[in-house]
Amino acid sequence: MRDVYVLGIGQTIFGKHGDLTVNDLGAAAALAAVRDAEISPKAFQTAYCGTIFSPPTPVQSILFRLGVDRIPMVTVENACASGSSAVHLLYRDIALGACDVGIALGVESLSAYNRKVGKGLLAIEGDLQGRLALTMPSFFAKLCNRLMEKRGATIEDICYPSVKNHKAGMTNPYSQYKTEVTVADIMASPMIADPITVLQCCPQSDGAAAVILCSEAYYKKNNRKEHRPPVKVAASVISVSGAEDASFDPLEMEVMIKGARSAYETAGVDPAKDIDVVELHDAFSGEELAAYEMLGLCKRGEGVALARSGAVELGGRIPVNPSGGLLSMGHPLGASGVRVVIEVARQLWGEAGANQVKGARVGMAQMLGGVLTGLESPVVAGIQILKK
Amino acid sequence: MSKQVIFYPGALEERDGKLVQVGHKCRDCGKTSYPAVELCPFCSSGHTEKVPLSTVGAVFSYSVTRVPVGPFKPPILGGYIDLPEGTRVFGQIRARVEDVKTGMKVKVETGVIWTEKDGTEVLGYYYVPLQAEEGGAKR
């Protein structure tokens, strides 16, 4: 396996862009990444785009606008890990020597999706459980209930990631929300699925993100940002769950535990002491609280204590979602898996501004998605570890 | 009589004039999966047989949705129900919100779960609390 480097990144501001198409959003992010990398788009040898609800062939529709054509291009769908999967496939192509440089995009317009199918809670179309009203919030409400029953989490603990992440989003120029919230505000907002209120849910968003990855040889020849320390993708894992029976506990999702362990082994890092920053899938506040232990940021059963210690805040031992996370950044589904990777790159380069984790050397980007009948849900996790 | 359809193809079958949940029991690994699919989802064996699911189970975890979802009006009680054969099934629970607890015993019933605008009745399953005399919790 060859080393894979981050050459450039770009994104749109996340939020409501009802007047822009997914192609407009994707082209803006791709152009920003090309300008950041200071290379010609003609250099790309392959391209991937993660999305869930876009019209067909977004990757060709977007990249043609930058003069990129006649190279292999694939659009990938993998629930909330769609963007992670685009990054993963590009990483693999470069690591295995199939190409030297390429772009991974992620894009989504939930404004366009809502115009097409109407507003409402998201469930997987045609799924048995979905037909019986199992939606993303109702699934994660069960996770929150288990956190309270088995981990001693209080409502304050469940709300904590939302409070923390909304605060962090205040100083992120790309975030959808610029509003701080208190536990009282969160619990006063409309109830969606007990105990999940509106302010414990990420917003529906439009946006795009892009990352340009390359081989070591290409990086040495073409990197123009000499002030930036070289940042490598030290591991990339797409982890998929197994068939579900009554032994499954969503507080101990194998898809996340094994996926993270595999990524740590490949990257050669110990999550208890080596990870400096984490950007993860906080579609729901309680989801982040449950993730700490599954990602190995603390011992099993100690996620609530980790949160209460302040360790996951900016300035703490292991800041989680210093960008503001999905809760404040917004969550244009297919874009988020790419966005978390470029967020970590920004941190390792020291370019995260007011949201910078001092001295960050190793970071993890994680996504989780897909609630389906028959499989341990969520069904897919995407994990990337970046190192400088 | 109005037209009737089953909410999800293959999820329910008629047995002795009653609609029942039918899954697949694997003769190789012994697991029962629901709904029935092509091969055993645990071991890929094709040696599966159709079996009715147990009608009584325990609530593993549940939630109460407070906004409308598709044809359903809030509050929507939904839970994962663990069956004695080791199968976990998701279903709505028809009960008062305050009467539902994790671990409580429930039994399955089948019937109309919603009616389409054209009058088509959609048949499905749902769970109800098991009464004390049936082995359920005392109120």
PDB file of all heavy atoms in Angstrom, chain A residues 152-181:
ATOM      1  N   GLY A 152     -26.752   5.297  32.678  1.00  0.00           N
ATOM      2  CA  GLY A 152     -27.011   6.328  33.680  1.00  0.00           C
ATOM      3  C   GLY A 152     -27.014   7.741  33.131  1.00  0.00           C
ATOM      4  O   GLY A 152     -26.821   8.699  33.885  1.00  0.00           O
ATOM      5  N   ALA A 153     -27.246   7.896  31.835  1.00  0.00           N
ATOM      6  CA  ALA A 153     -27.266   9.239  31.246  1.00  0.00           C
ATOM      7  C   ALA A 153     -28.526   9.971  31.693  1.00  0.00           C
ATOM      8  O   ALA A 153     -29.599   9.376  31.791  1.00  0.00           O
ATOM      9  CB  ALA A 153     -27.230   9.148  29.731  1.00  0.00           C
ATOM     10  N   THR A 154     -28.376  11.257  31.963  1.00  0.00           N
ATOM     11  CA  THR A 154     -29.523  12.110  32.284  1.00  0.00           C
ATOM     12  C   THR A 154     -29.906  12.872  31.015  1.00  0.00           C
ATOM     13  O   THR A 154     -29.167  12.842  30.014  1.00  0.00           O
ATOM     14  CB  THR A 154     -29.145  13.141  33.365  1.00  0.00           C
ATOM     15  OG1 THR A 154     -28.091  13.964  32.818  1.00  0.00           O
ATOM     16  CG2 THR A 154     -28.644  12.457  34.632  1.00  0.00           C
ATOM     17  N   ILE A 155     -31.020  13.582  31.067  1.00  0.00           N
ATOM     18  CA  ILE A 155     -31.416  14.428  29.928  1.00  0.00           C
ATOM     19  C   ILE A 155     -30.303  15.447  29.640  1.00  0.00           C
ATOM     20  O   ILE A 155     -29.995  15.737  28.491  1.00  0.00           O
ATOM     21  CB  ILE A 155     -32.765  15.137  30.224  1.00  0.00           C
ATOM     22  CG1 ILE A 155     -33.906  14.118  30.114  1.00  0.00           C
ATOM     23  CG2 ILE A 155     -32.999  16.320  29.292  1.00  0.00           C
ATOM     24  CD1 ILE A 155     -34.205  13.625  28.700  1.00  0.00           C
ATOM     25  N   GLU A 156     -29.677  15.974  30.711  1.00  0.00           N
ATOM     26  CA  GLU A 156     -28.589  16.944  30.530  1.00  0.00           C
ATOM     27  C   GLU A 156     -27.437  16.307  29.743  1.00  0.00           C
ATOM     28  O   GLU A 156     -26.843  16.942  28.876  1.00  0.00           O
ATOM     29  CB  GLU A 156     -28.075  17.456  31.888  1.00  0.00           C
ATOM     30  CG  GLU A 156     -28.996  18.426  32.606  1.00  0.00           C
ATOM     31  CD  GLU A 156     -30.255  17.776  33.191  1.00  0.00           C
ATOM     32  OE1 GLU A 156     -30.268  16.540  33.373  1.00  0.00           O
ATOM     33  OE2 GLU A 156     -31.228  18.503  33.440  1.00  0.00           O
ATOM     34  N   ASP A 157     -27.127  15.043  30.072  1.00  0.00           N
ATOM     35  CA  ASP A 157     -26.052  14.337  29.349  1.00  0.00           C
ATOM     36  C   ASP A 157     -26.425  14.149  27.880  1.00  0.00           C
ATOM     37  O   ASP A 157     -25.596  14.327  26.987  1.00  0.00           O
ATOM     38  CB  ASP A 157     -25.803  12.950  29.962  1.00  0.00           C
ATOM     39  CG  ASP A 157     -25.251  13.022  31.379  1.00  0.00           C
ATOM     40  OD1 ASP A 157     -24.407  13.913  31.637  1.00  0.00           O
ATOM     41  OD2 ASP A 157     -25.664  12.202  32.220  1.00  0.00           O
ATOM     42  N   ILE A 158     -27.693  13.783  27.645  1.00  0.00           N
ATOM     43  CA  ILE A 158     -28.158  13.549  26.268  1.00  0.00           C
ATOM     44  C   ILE A 158     -28.055  14.849  25.454  1.00  0.00           C
ATOM     45  O   ILE A 158     -27.709  14.843  24.280  1.00  0.00           O
ATOM     46  CB  ILE A 158     -29.627  13.037  26.267  1.00  0.00           C
ATOM     47  CG1 ILE A 158     -29.751  11.694  27.004  1.00  0.00           C
ATOM     48  CG2 ILE A 158     -30.194  12.960  24.850  1.00  0.00           C
ATOM     49  CD1 ILE A 158     -29.287  10.479  26.282  1.00  0.00           C
ATOM     50  N   CYS A 159     -28.363  15.976  26.101  1.00  0.00           N
ATOM     51  CA  CYS A 159     -28.347  17.281  25.422  1.00  0.00           C
ATOM     52  C   CYS A 159     -26.935  17.854  25.274  1.00  0.00           C
ATOM     53  O   CYS A 159     -26.702  18.742  24.442  1.00  0.00           O
ATOM     54  CB  CYS A 159     -29.187  18.303  26.190  1.00  0.00           C
ATOM     55  SG  CYS A 159     -30.947  17.933  26.189  1.00  0.00           S
ATOM     56  N   TYR A 160     -26.001  17.360  26.069  1.00  0.00           N
ATOM     57  CA  TYR A 160     -24.669  17.968  26.148  1.00  0.00           C
ATOM     58  C   TYR A 160     -23.974  18.132  24.790  1.00  0.00           C
ATOM     59  O   TYR A 160     -23.467  19.232  24.486  1.00  0.00           O
ATOM     60  CB  TYR A 160     -23.788  17.171  27.129  1.00  0.00           C
ATOM     61  CG  TYR A 160     -22.333  17.522  27.065  1.00  0.00           C
ATOM     62  CD1 TYR A 160     -21.864  18.705  27.627  1.00  0.00           C
ATOM     63  CD2 TYR A 160     -21.428  16.701  26.396  1.00  0.00           C
ATOM     64  CE1 TYR A 160     -20.531  19.046  27.541  1.00  0.00           C
ATOM     65  CE2 TYR A 160     -20.101  17.034  26.305  1.00  0.00           C
ATOM     66  CZ  TYR A 160     -19.645  18.207  26.871  1.00  0.00           C
ATOM     67  OH  TYR A 160     -18.340  18.535  26.766  1.00  0.00           O
ATOM     68  N   PRO A 161     -23.929  17.075  23.937  1.00  0.00           N
ATOM     69  CA  PRO A 161     -23.251  17.288  22.652  1.00  0.00           C
ATOM     70  C   PRO A 161     -23.882  18.411  21.834  1.00  0.00           C
ATOM     71  O   PRO A 161     -23.176  19.171  21.153  1.00  0.00           O
ATOM     72  CB  PRO A 161     -23.393  15.932  21.948  1.00  0.00           C
ATOM     73  CG  PRO A 161     -23.468  14.942  23.076  1.00  0.00           C
ATOM     74  CD  PRO A 161     -24.299  15.646  24.119  1.00  0.00           C
ATOM     75  N   SER A 162     -25.213  18.564  21.928  1.00  0.00           N
ATOM     76  CA  SER A 162     -25.875  19.630  21.174  1.00  0.00           C
ATOM     77  C   SER A 162     -25.462  21.009  21.702  1.00  0.00           C
ATOM     78  O   SER A 162     -25.172  21.921  20.927  1.00  0.00           O
ATOM     79  CB  SER A 162     -27.397  19.456  21.252  1.00  0.00           C
ATOM     80  OG  SER A 162     -28.036  20.445  20.478  1.00  0.00           O
ATOM     81  N   VAL A 163     -25.396  21.155  23.017  1.00  0.00           N
ATOM     82  CA  VAL A 163     -24.959  22.423  23.621  1.00  0.00           C
ATOM     83  C   VAL A 163     -23.526  22.732  23.176  1.00  0.00           C
ATOM     84  O   VAL A 163     -23.212  23.824  22.689  1.00  0.00           O
ATOM     85  CB  VAL A 163     -25.024  22.345  25.171  1.00  0.00           C
ATOM     86  CG1 VAL A 163     -24.421  23.601  25.803  1.00  0.00           C
ATOM     87  CG2 VAL A 163     -26.470  22.144  25.632  1.00  0.00           C
ATOM     88  N   LYS A 164     -22.650  21.725  23.325  1.00  0.00           N
ATOM     89  CA  LYS A 164     -21.225  21.881  22.988  1.00  0.00           C
ATOM     90  C   LYS A 164     -21.043  22.219  21.496  1.00  0.00           C
ATOM     91  O   LYS A 164     -20.277  23.125  21.143  1.00  0.00           O
ATOM     92  CB  LYS A 164     -20.508  20.574  23.333  1.00  0.00           C
ATOM     93  CG  LYS A 164     -19.094  20.441  22.770  1.00  0.00           C
ATOM     94  CD  LYS A 164     -18.424  19.144  23.212  1.00  0.00           C
ATOM     95  CE  LYS A 164     -18.978  17.898  22.556  1.00  0.00           C
ATOM     96  NZ  LYS A 164     -18.673  17.734  21.130  1.00  0.00           N
ATOM     97  N   ASN A 165     -21.744  21.489  20.638  1.00  0.00           N
ATOM     98  CA  ASN A 165     -21.526  21.649  19.203  1.00  0.00           C
ATOM     99  C   ASN A 165     -22.141  22.934  18.655  1.00  0.00           C
ATOM    100  O   ASN A 165     -21.576  23.560  17.752  1.00  0.00           O
ATOM    101  CB  ASN A 165     -22.041  20.414  18.452  1.00  0.00           C
ATOM    102  CG  ASN A 165     -21.260  19.155  18.867  1.00  0.00           C
ATOM    103  OD1 ASN A 165     -20.265  19.251  19.591  1.00  0.00           O
ATOM    104  ND2 ASN A 165     -21.709  17.999  18.430  1.00  0.00           N
ATOM    105  N   HIS A 166     -23.301  23.327  19.209  1.00  0.00           N
ATOM    106  CA  HIS A 166     -23.861  24.619  18.784  1.00  0.00           C
ATOM    107  C   HIS A 166     -22.911  25.758  19.151  1.00  0.00           C
ATOM    108  O   HIS A 166     -22.757  26.710  18.395  1.00  0.00           O
ATOM    109  CB  HIS A 166     -25.235  24.856  19.423  1.00  0.00           C
ATOM    110  CG  HIS A 166     -26.354  24.207  18.672  1.00  0.00           C
ATOM    111  ND1 HIS A 166     -26.772  22.936  18.927  1.00  0.00           N
ATOM    112  CD2 HIS A 166     -27.115  24.650  17.632  1.00  0.00           C
ATOM    113  CE1 HIS A 166     -27.764  22.621  18.094  1.00  0.00           C
ATOM    114  NE2 HIS A 166     -27.980  23.643  17.301  1.00  0.00           N
ATOM    115  N   LYS A 167     -22.271  25.638  20.310  1.00  0.00           N
ATOM    116  CA  LYS A 167     -21.306  26.665  20.732  1.00  0.00           C
ATOM    117  C   LYS A 167     -20.131  26.707  19.754  1.00  0.00           C
ATOM    118  O   LYS A 167     -19.706  27.776  19.312  1.00  0.00           O
ATOM    119  CB  LYS A 167     -20.833  26.346  22.155  1.00  0.00           C
ATOM    120  CG  LYS A 167     -19.983  27.430  22.752  1.00  0.00           C
ATOM    121  CD  LYS A 167     -19.629  27.100  24.192  1.00  0.00           C
ATOM    122  CE  LYS A 167     -18.624  28.125  24.701  1.00  0.00           C
ATOM    123  NZ  LYS A 167     -17.807  27.605  25.777  1.00  0.00           N
ATOM    124  N   ALA A 168     -19.617  25.540  19.398  1.00  0.00           N
ATOM    125  CA  ALA A 168     -18.474  25.479  18.480  1.00  0.00           C
ATOM    126  C   ALA A 168     -18.833  26.028  17.109  1.00  0.00           C
ATOM    127  O   ALA A 168     -18.021  26.692  16.456  1.00  0.00           O
ATOM    128  CB  ALA A 168     -17.989  24.029  18.365  1.00  0.00           C
ATOM    129  N   GLY A 169     -20.060  25.790  16.670  1.00  0.00           N
ATOM    130  CA  GLY A 169     -20.484  26.239  15.346  1.00  0.00           C
ATOM    131  C   GLY A 169     -20.539  27.750  15.205  1.00  0.00           C
ATOM    132  O   GLY A 169     -20.476  28.287  14.092  1.00  0.00           O
ATOM    133  N   MET A 170     -20.620  28.467  16.335  1.00  0.00           N
ATOM    134  CA  MET A 170     -20.677  29.936  16.325  1.00  0.00           C
ATOM    135  C   MET A 170     -19.496  30.540  15.576  1.00  0.00           C
ATOM    136  O   MET A 170     -19.618  31.574  14.940  1.00  0.00           O
ATOM    137  CB  MET A 170     -20.651  30.474  17.760  1.00  0.00           C
ATOM    138  CG  MET A 170     -21.803  30.068  18.642  1.00  0.00           C
ATOM    139  SD  MET A 170     -23.263  31.020  18.328  1.00  0.00           S
ATOM    140  CE  MET A 170     -22.785  32.614  19.010  1.00  0.00           C
ATOM    141  N   THR A 171     -18.320  29.907  15.677  1.00  0.00           N
ATOM    142  CA  THR A 171     -17.109  30.491  15.093  1.00  0.00           C
ATOM    143  C   THR A 171     -16.637  29.730  13.858  1.00  0.00           C
ATOM    144  O   THR A 171     -15.511  29.910  13.409  1.00  0.00           O
ATOM    145  CB  THR A 171     -15.983  30.523  16.146  1.00  0.00           C
ATOM    146  OG1 THR A 171     -15.948  29.250  16.819  1.00  0.00           O
ATOM    147  CG2 THR A 171     -16.217  31.615  17.176  1.00  0.00           C
ATOM    148  N   ASN A 172     -17.496  28.868  13.311  1.00  0.00           N
ATOM    149  CA  ASN A 172     -17.115  28.168  12.081  1.00  0.00           C
ATOM    150  C   ASN A 172     -17.755  28.883  10.889  1.00  0.00           C
ATOM    151  O   ASN A 172     -18.984  28.949  10.793  1.00  0.00           O
ATOM    152  CB  ASN A 172     -17.590  26.710  12.140  1.00  0.00           C
ATOM    153  CG  ASN A 172     -17.097  25.907  10.954  1.00  0.00           C
ATOM    154  OD1 ASN A 172     -16.862  26.453   9.873  1.00  0.00           O
ATOM    155  ND2 ASN A 172     -16.933  24.618  11.143  1.00  0.00           N
ATOM    156  N   PRO A 173     -16.926  29.449  10.003  1.00  0.00           N
ATOM    157  CA  PRO A 173     -17.501  30.232   8.907  1.00  0.00           C
ATOM    158  C   PRO A 173     -18.377  29.409   7.953  1.00  0.00           C
ATOM    159  O   PRO A 173     -19.158  29.973   7.193  1.00  0.00           O
ATOM    160  CB  PRO A 173     -16.267  30.776   8.165  1.00  0.00           C
ATOM    161  CG  PRO A 173     -15.121  29.928   8.600  1.00  0.00           C
ATOM    162  CD  PRO A 173     -15.448  29.432   9.981  1.00  0.00           C
ATOM    163  N   TYR A 174     -18.278  28.083   7.999  1.00  0.00           N
ATOM    164  CA  TYR A 174     -19.051  27.247   7.064  1.00  0.00           C
ATOM    165  C   TYR A 174     -20.336  26.704   7.663  1.00  0.00           C
ATOM    166  O   TYR A 174     -21.054  25.952   7.019  1.00  0.00           O
ATOM    167  CB  TYR A 174     -18.187  26.066   6.589  1.00  0.00           C
ATOM    168  CG  TYR A 174     -16.965  26.488   5.824  1.00  0.00           C
ATOM    169  CD1 TYR A 174     -15.701  26.482   6.406  1.00  0.00           C
ATOM    170  CD2 TYR A 174     -17.083  26.903   4.495  1.00  0.00           C
ATOM    171  CE1 TYR A 174     -14.578  26.865   5.695  1.00  0.00           C
ATOM    172  CE2 TYR A 174     -15.966  27.295   3.768  1.00  0.00           C
ATOM    173  CZ  TYR A 174     -14.712  27.275   4.388  1.00  0.00           C
ATOM    174  OH  TYR A 174     -13.613  27.659   3.678  1.00  0.00           O
ATOM    175  N   SER A 175     -20.614  27.009   8.955  1.00  0.00           N
ATOM    176  CA  SER A 175     -21.723  26.319   9.614  1.00  0.00           C
ATOM    177  C   SER A 175     -23.081  26.939   9.317  1.00  0.00           C
ATOM    178  O   SER A 175     -23.202  28.130   9.044  1.00  0.00           O
ATOM    179  CB  SER A 175     -21.487  26.254  11.125  1.00  0.00           C
ATOM    180  OG  SER A 175     -21.619  27.537  11.677  1.00  0.00           O
ATOM    181  N   GLN A 176     -24.103  26.088   9.393  1.00  0.00           N
ATOM    182  CA  GLN A 176     -25.482  26.500   9.119  1.00  0.00           C
ATOM    183  C   GLN A 176     -26.045  27.340  10.263  1.00  0.00           C
ATOM    184  O   GLN A 176     -26.744  28.313  10.027  1.00  0.00           O
ATOM    185  CB  GLN A 176     -26.347  25.245   8.923  1.00  0.00           C
ATOM    186  CG  GLN A 176     -27.816  25.526   8.617  1.00  0.00           C
ATOM    187  CD  GLN A 176     -28.530  24.319   8.023  1.00  0.00           C
ATOM    188  OE1 GLN A 176     -27.912  23.304   7.721  1.00  0.00           O
ATOM    189  NE2 GLN A 176     -29.826  24.430   7.835  1.00  0.00           N
ATOM    190  N   TYR A 177     -25.769  26.928  11.492  1.00  0.00           N
ATOM    191  CA  TYR A 177     -26.309  27.636  12.654  1.00  0.00           C
ATOM    192  C   TYR A 177     -25.239  28.522  13.282  1.00  0.00           C
ATOM    193  O   TYR A 177     -24.077  28.137  13.380  1.00  0.00           O
ATOM    194  CB  TYR A 177     -26.765  26.644  13.726  1.00  0.00           C
ATOM    195  CG  TYR A 177     -28.044  25.903  13.418  1.00  0.00           C
ATOM    196  CD1 TYR A 177     -28.331  24.694  14.036  1.00  0.00           C
ATOM    197  CD2 TYR A 177     -28.978  26.414  12.527  1.00  0.00           C
ATOM    198  CE1 TYR A 177     -29.505  24.003  13.771  1.00  0.00           C
ATOM    199  CE2 TYR A 177     -30.160  25.737  12.254  1.00  0.00           C
ATOM    200  CZ  TYR A 177     -30.420  24.527  12.883  1.00  0.00           C
ATOM    201  OH  TYR A 177     -31.570  23.850  12.633  1.00  0.00           O
ATOM    202  N   LYS A 178     -25.685  29.667  13.752  1.00  0.00           N
ATOM    203  CA  LYS A 178     -24.793  30.535  14.542  1.00  0.00           C
ATOM    204  C   LYS A 178     -25.562  30.896  15.801  1.00  0.00           C
ATOM    205  O   LYS A 178     -25.786  32.061  16.099  1.00  0.00           O
ATOM    206  CB  LYS A 178     -24.429  31.799  13.747  1.00  0.00           C
ATOM    207  CG  LYS A 178     -23.648  31.548  12.456  1.00  0.00           C
ATOM    208  CD  LYS A 178     -22.171  31.301  12.722  1.00  0.00           C
ATOM    209  CE  LYS A 178     -21.337  31.260  11.450  1.00  0.00           C
ATOM    210  NZ  LYS A 178     -21.682  30.155  10.567  1.00  0.00           N
ATOM    211  N   THR A 179     -26.012  29.883  16.496  1.00  0.00           N
ATOM    212  CA  THR A 179     -26.848  30.097  17.673  1.00  0.00           C
ATOM    213  C   THR A 179     -26.392  29.179  18.791  1.00  0.00           C
ATOM    214  O   THR A 179     -26.226  27.989  18.581  1.00  0.00           O
ATOM    215  CB  THR A 179     -28.324  29.728  17.363  1.00  0.00           C
ATOM    216  OG1 THR A 179     -28.657  30.216  16.076  1.00  0.00           O
ATOM    217  CG2 THR A 179     -29.258  30.287  18.398  1.00  0.00           C
ATOM    218  N   GLU A 180     -26.182  29.757  19.970  1.00  0.00           N
ATOM    219  CA  GLU A 180     -25.902  28.911  21.132  1.00  0.00           C
ATOM    220  C   GLU A 180     -27.215  28.450  21.732  1.00  0.00           C
ATOM    221  O   GLU A 180     -28.218  29.163  21.659  1.00  0.00           O
ATOM    222  CB  GLU A 180     -25.111  29.702  22.188  1.00  0.00           C
ATOM    223  CG  GLU A 180     -23.635  29.787  21.839  1.00  0.00           C
ATOM    224  CD  GLU A 180     -22.785  30.110  23.050  1.00  0.00           C
ATOM    225  OE1 GLU A 180     -22.756  29.288  23.990  1.00  0.00           O
ATOM    226  OE2 GLU A 180     -22.161  31.193  23.065  1.00  0.00           O
ATOM    227  N   VAL A 181     -27.210  27.254  22.295  1.00  0.00           N
ATOM    228  CA  VAL A 181     -28.428  26.756  22.947  1.00  0.00           C
ATOM    229  C   VAL A 181     -28.078  26.213  24.333  1.00  0.00           C
ATOM    230  O   VAL A 181     -26.958  25.758  24.570  1.00  0.00           O
ATOM    231  CB  VAL A 181     -29.117  25.633  22.129  1.00  0.00           C
ATOM    232  CG1 VAL A 181     -29.617  26.152  20.785  1.00  0.00           C
ATOM    233  CG2 VAL A 181     -28.184  24.438  21.919  1.00  0.00           C
TER     234      VAL A 181
END
